[in-house]
Amino acid sequence: MDLVGAKRVRIQPAGSDEIFVIEGKESKGGVISAEIEGLSKEPSRVFASNVAYYVSGKGTGETSVTFTLLDIPGKVEDEILGYKTDESGISFVGEDTDAPYCAVTLESEDLSGEKAVLAFFKGKFSRDAVSAETTTNEAPEPEGSEYTFTPISDDRDGKSEGQVMAKYVGNEEETFKELEDLVFDTTDDGGSGE
């Protein structure tokens, strides 16, 4: 499936009833790109009687999503990466840093212009590097930062159990709502998600 654009990313940390929306609104961050890899397991041949008898390739590979995001609010970044923040607003990264599981959706369009949503039920975000460069005479052009999301199979009972990703392309709002209800925990207690 070919997608055009990256309109919106929604993220809900496990145990939280808050859903962070990154969609290009001022001071709330924007989505530059998303690249999904590892949706298919690398096929391997099984030999018997001196011939390739069977191809094994069930399941997914090592699925990952690389999001390039711009100007993500510090509170959102700290929460999805598991950084500790004290009452003064100082964030700490160290031996006890542990990102929470998160549910994520990516909204885009297909080549015909229909809305497309890719949903990941459970996974963790990581960010490997932070960079800083000197200013010059030219007007600065901010660049996005890369965040890797590593999804795993959903362990909740229901139709998403054992699934890593779901997608829907179309124009039925009821189906988008159904997908959203599968992905995000909308119970009063926020759910555990772990």
Side-chain angles (χ1 to χ4, degrees):
M1 169 175 58
D2 291 321
L3 298 176
V4 178
K7 182 175 182 179
R8 178 181 297 120
V9 170
R10 300 176 69 193
I11 303 167
Q12 182 183 42
S16 172
D17 57 1
E18 186 170 12
I19 297 174
F20 301 119
V21 181
I22 301 166
E23 61 179 341
K25 292 188 177 174
E26 188 173 343
S27 300
K28 295 198 177 193
V31 185
I32 295 175
S33 66
E35 183 177 339
I36 303 162
E37 296 181 331
L39 290 176
S40 297
K41 186 169 287 231
E42 185 71 35
S44 61
R45 292 180 178 91
V46 177
F47 287 83
S49 298
N50 299 327
V51 297
Y53 181 78
Y54 175 77
V55 176
S56 174
K58 184 177 180 181
T60 63
E62 294 184 15
T63 307
S64 69
V65 186
T66 303
F67 289 103
T68 304
L69 306 174
L70 181 66
D71 194 28
I72 301 306
K75 173 189 182 293
V76 174
E77 182 179 68
D78 289 348
E79 189 158 343
I80 68 172
L81 294 176
Y83 295 172
K84 284 186 172 180
T85 306
D86 70 9
E87 60 280 349
S88 301
I90 300 171
S91 299
F92 297 90
V93 181
E95 62 184 24
D96 58 351
T97 300
D98 188 17
Y101 283 109
C102 294
V104 176
T105 61
L106 167 67
E107 184 179 328
S108 185
E109 291 183 351
D110 71 0
L111 295 177
S112 67
E114 287 201 293
K115 182 176 173 181
V117 173
L118 303 179
F120 299 90
F121 301 101
K122 183 177 182 180
K124 291 190 176 191
F125 279 94
S126 61
R127 181 176 180 192
D128 191 45
V130 176
S131 63
E133 291 184 21
T134 188
T135 57
T136 65
N137 295 2
E138 298 176 13
E141 286 189 26
E143 294 182 7
S145 299
E146 283 193 357
Y147 298 82
T148 301
F149 181 71
T150 306
I152 60 173
S153 299
D154 193 6
D155 57 1
R156 296 172 294 171
D157 292 336
K159 65 166 75 176
S160 64
E161 185 176 10
Q163 306 305 310
V164 173
M165 185 188 91
K167 69 174 181 147
Y168 176 67
V169 179
N171 54 23
E172 295 295 329
E173 285 303 318
E174 287 180 15
T175 307
F176 286 115
K177 176 74 171 108
E178 179 184 346
L179 179 56
E180 184 176 292
D181 289 345
L182 278 172
V183 175
F184 297 119
D185 187 352
T186 55
T187 59
D188 291 337
D189 65 0
S192 68
E194 294 190 45

